[in-house]
Amino acid sequence: MVNKHYPAEFKADAVALYRSRPGATIAQIADDLGVNRETLRSWVRADDRRRGATAGSAASVAGSRASGSVEDENAQLRRRVRELEEERDILRKAARYFAGGDALVNRFQFVADHQQRYGVKRLCQIIGLSRSSYYYWRSTASARAAREATDVALAGRIRAVHAEYDGTYGAPRITAELHDAGLRVNRKRVARVMRRFGVQGLRLRRRVRTTVPDPAAAKAPDLIGRGFTAPEPNQRYVGDITYLPVGDRGFLYLATVIDLHSRRLAGWAIADHMRTDLVIDALHAAKRTRGGLHGAIMHTDHGAQYTSMAFAAACQAAGIRQSMSAVGSSADNAAAESFNATFKRETLQGRRAFTDEREARLTAFRWLHRYNTVRRHSQLRQQSPITYERKARPAPATLAPAA
């Protein structure tokens, strides 16, 4: 009702209605009738005084208090419902930020984007975040932006080096390249940026056995003893054969002669067979590169080509002492095995085989020469073999083409 001057009959009926409904509260009756709650309460009190019902008056006061308590409880429940609904909405929005992983930076960014509506305190409570951590993150935003810009620039230079070396270099060699270009950067940072931007070096492939020993052949003693170093060039060499898969079933074979002082590929030969001529051609190529091999040690496995009389005669003619690893022990010829694994990993780059023989030969030719001249070697403080030799003394003639 709009009228605030109620007739006595209306007041009496309102009080009677309240008394006729023991479970109802003054607030409910007043709302039903459209009158002020305190007005109805004063009418009830006046009626109590008129009737002299002290006990009734006390009960009315108790009922009023109970009514107030229920109202407060209802108000608290409504507030709690609103809080839960708000929390649900916040978590739904936060889920979009955490779709790519619940990283701490995602939580910080979520609070930053929604603080105007919900407040920092409320958001941090719901998603389990320390407010001090958030404020620190916000205060360092400019420093992070600068670091992000430098990481993007570094990633560009890393990709350029990675592409220049056919996608074969990992963090250590890329770091060395950047150092030579005048950029002082930590290897761990290079590795971190590579991981972040998806730049990867090549990994080892499963090794396939190519050594076929001849049980009846003569064996030479092990003069190396897994000591794959040499104080000077042209003193100790290791040799081995590896295969180049071509097409569906074809193979080419690569024989190598590697100097243990500088890891330089002194001689090599490629053929479509594994006869003794292959390893002899590689030995002759090394002799041309060095201008002579007299007094050097040639360490190999027990493959039939290396235990043959023809190879022994070639070594004797060149003044070379033969050395052989233990039968079936790849560790005794680890330097050559490591070279072969690197060669196949970086030339095949995950493929099962070369397309044809021409591609295999040209790819091998390019890689073998780059190995000596530009490819960085982890055992040489990230220098190429020829660079390593030149820093110690004037380099001999370059690697001659093999047969």
Side-chain angles (χ1 to χ4, degrees):
M1 291 184 179
V2 179
N3 183 15
K4 294 185 179 181
H5 300 284
Y6 302 99
E9 184 179 358
F10 178 86
K11 297 178 182 178
D13 289 340
V15 172
L17 177 63
Y18 167 69
R19 294 191 187 283
S20 68
R21 299 177 62 185
T25 64
I26 288 180
Q28 292 172 336
I29 299 300
D31 292 343
D32 290 342
L33 297 176
V35 301
N36 184 275
R37 297 178 182 182
E38 288 301 321
T39 298
L40 178 57
R41 187 172 285 111
S42 66
W43 294 346
V44 173
R45 289 171 182 167
D47 184 67
D48 288 341
R49 286 194 298 269
R50 284 193 302 270
R51 296 170 59 182
T54 305
S57 177
S60 176
V61 172
S64 175
R65 291 176 179 174
S67 172
S69 176
V70 170
E71 292 174 12
D72 292 342
E73 183 177 350
N74 288 339
Q76 291 176 1
L77 289 174
R78 285 192 293 270
R79 283 196 300 271
R80 181 56 180 159
V81 169
R82 288 194 297 270
E83 290 175 356
L84 291 173
E85 290 176 346
E86 182 182 73
E87 182 174 337
R88 178 200 61 195
D89 293 340
I90 290 173
L91 291 175
R92 282 178 177 175
K93 294 176 180 178
R96 301 170 188 169
Y97 284 73
F98 305 152
D102 189 10
L104 190 60
V105 66
N106 293 341
R107 299 190 181 204
F108 289 147
Q109 192 60 54
F110 172 74
V111 174
D113 292 346
H114 295 84
Q115 62 173 330
Q116 294 297 327
R117 178 173 180 180
Y118 299 106
V120 173
K121 181 178 180 180
R122 177 70 169 148
L123 291 170
C124 289
Q125 287 176 341
I126 291 176
I127 65 175
L129 192 64
S130 167
R131 276 187 290 167
S132 61
S133 298
Y134 166 73
Y135 286 122
Y136 174 79
W137 175 83
R138 194 171 67 178
S139 68
T140 57
S142 59
R144 285 197 311 278
R147 188 165 57 248
E148 172 72 11
T150 57
D151 279 357
V152 171
L154 178 59
R157 299 190 66 171
I158 287 174
R159 286 196 178 100
V161 174
H162 193 252
E164 181 180 354
Y165 292 93
D166 303 327
T168 61
Y169 274 14
R173 291 187 175 89
I174 289 179
T175 303
E177 284 288 327
L178 295 176
H179 284 179
D180 282 358
L183 180 62
R184 309 309 298 176
V185 61
N186 186 278
R187 182 184 64 81
K188 291 183 179 179
R189 185 183 175 196
V190 171
R192 175 180 62 80
V193 172
M194 290 179 67
R195 285 194 301 270
R196 178 183 173 190
F197 290 91
V199 182
Q200 292 183 344
L202 290 179
R203 300 187 179 184
L204 286 172
R205 292 168 53 88
R206 182 173 60 90
R207 192 177 74 87
V208 177
R209 184 185 181 203
T210 55
T211 301
V212 181
D214 181 359
K219 306 298 189 294
D222 187 350
L223 304 179
I224 298 293
R226 299 188 182 181
F228 300 113
T229 59
E232 298 290 338
N234 203 22
Q235 291 186 350
R236 289 182 171 184
Y237 293 90
V238 291
D240 200 6
I241 301 174
T242 191
Y243 71 99
L244 287 69
V246 178
D248 293 334
R249 297 183 181 181
F251 290 95
L252 292 177
Y253 299 93
L254 169 68
T256 55
V257 179
I258 302 170
D259 192 316
L260 288 179
H261 171 71
S262 61
R263 295 300 198 273
R264 181 174 180 175
L265 181 61
W268 57 274
I270 293 180
D272 58 359
H273 61 81
M274 284 199 302
R275 295 190 295 271
T276 304
D277 290 346
L278 176 66
V279 296
I280 292 177
D281 287 342
L283 187 67
H284 287 165
K287 183 178 177 181
R288 291 193 299 271
T289 297
R290 290 306 194 189
L293 301 174
H294 186 76
I297 295 173
M298 181 65 181
H299 183 78
T300 66
D301 59 25
H302 283 262
Q305 301 86 350
Y306 294 112
T307 58
S308 67
M309 294 179 62
F311 185 74
C315 289
Q316 185 176 6
I320 295 174
R321 291 183 293 163
Q322 279 190 272
S323 170
M324 291 185 183
S325 59
V327 176
S329 175
S330 60
D332 287 350
N333 201 21
E337 298 281 356
S338 176
F339 175 89
N340 291 341
T342 300
F343 167 75
K344 284 188 286 188
R345 181 178 73 245
E346 296 189 1
T347 53
L348 286 169
Q349 299 203 7
R351 296 181 297 168
R352 297 184 62 87
F354 295 103
T355 303
D356 52 37
E357 182 175 326
R358 173 181 169 79
E359 183 198 14
R361 287 183 178 274
L362 291 178
T363 302
F365 174 82
R366 177 176 181 268
W367 190 92
L368 294 171
H369 280 276
R370 285 170 61 87
Y371 169 85
N372 275 339
T373 57
V374 299
R375 187 187 182 280
R376 297 178 183 274
H377 202 295
S378 59
Q379 295 294 322
L380 307 178
R381 299 188 296 274
Q382 299 300 347
Q383 301 175 85
S384 70
I386 288 181
T387 299
Y388 182 79
E389 287 188 358
R390 285 175 178 170
K391 286 186 176 182
R393 62 181 62 194
T398 58
L399 176 62

